[in-house]
């Protein structure tokens, strides 16, 4: 059974940084894609960044240049380094793992950026 667990959220002032981490367990082979999504209050869940098992990255326009996604294929972990945070980055951040045509989601971690 696959389990996806996020950590690292919290409260930070505008301009600050946070690092989110996600671990996928119960997977033998490296997932094809791992990524981060976020959902702000009253809005739909949206892609933040993703990375394939060969290191190809994709970033949403609002975070490009401020956020960096990385992964460790040996450990099935994916991290999101967030810098220059602003209040619009506030939301619940979810880790998504795409493995063998199935997607798995974590429970989410709250990120709150105060102005």
């Amino acid at each position: 059974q696959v389990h996806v667990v996020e950590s690292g959220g919290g409260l930070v002032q505008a301009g600050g940084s946070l690092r989110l981490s996600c671990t996928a367990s119960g997977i033998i082979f490296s997932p094809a894609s791992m990524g981060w999504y976020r959902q702000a209050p009253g809005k739909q869940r949206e892609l933040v960044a993703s990375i394939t098992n060969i290191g190809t990255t994709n970033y949403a326009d609002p975070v490009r240049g401020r956020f960096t996604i990385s992964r460790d294929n040996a450990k099935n972990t994916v991290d999101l380094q967030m810098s220059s945070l602003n209040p619009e980055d506030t939301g619940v951040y979810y880790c998504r793992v795409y493995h063998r045509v199935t997607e798995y989601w974590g429970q989410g971690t709250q990120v709150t950026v105060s102005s």
Side-chain angles (χ1 to χ4, degrees):
Q1 190 172 3
V2 177
H3 292 282
V4 179
V5 178
E6 306 102 334
S7 63
L11 173 64
V12 64
Q13 288 188 333
S17 299
L18 277 177
R19 187 176 184 90
L20 305 182
S21 296
C22 170
T23 300
S25 60
I27 296 176
I28 298 176
F29 300 104
S30 182
S33 176
M34 303 180 77
W36 291 92
Y37 286 68
R38 69 185 180 190
Q39 187 166 18
K43 295 187 177 181
Q44 290 187 333
R45 192 175 299 188
E46 62 180 6
L47 171 70
V48 175
S50 64
I51 183 168
T52 69
N53 55 1
I54 60 171
T56 302
T57 58
N58 181 37
Y59 292 93
D61 287 342
V63 309
R64 189 173 289 111
R66 300 187 297 121
F67 292 9
T68 302
I69 190 169
S70 60
R71 66 185 279 177
D72 184 329
N73 287 337
K75 298 179 180 179
N76 285 335
T77 60
V78 60
D79 291 347
L80 185 69
Q81 178 65 47
M82 305 185 292
S83 303
S84 301
L85 286 161
N86 59 61
E88 288 70 39
D89 296 316
T90 294
V92 180
Y93 283 68
Y94 298 90
C95 179
R96 174 186 182 268
V97 175
Y98 185 73
H99 178 63
R100 293 190 171 184
V101 299
T102 301
E103 60 179 12
Y104 303 91
W105 293 88
Q107 79 288 351
T109 185
Q110 177 70 44
V111 171
T112 303
V113 184
S114 63
S115 57

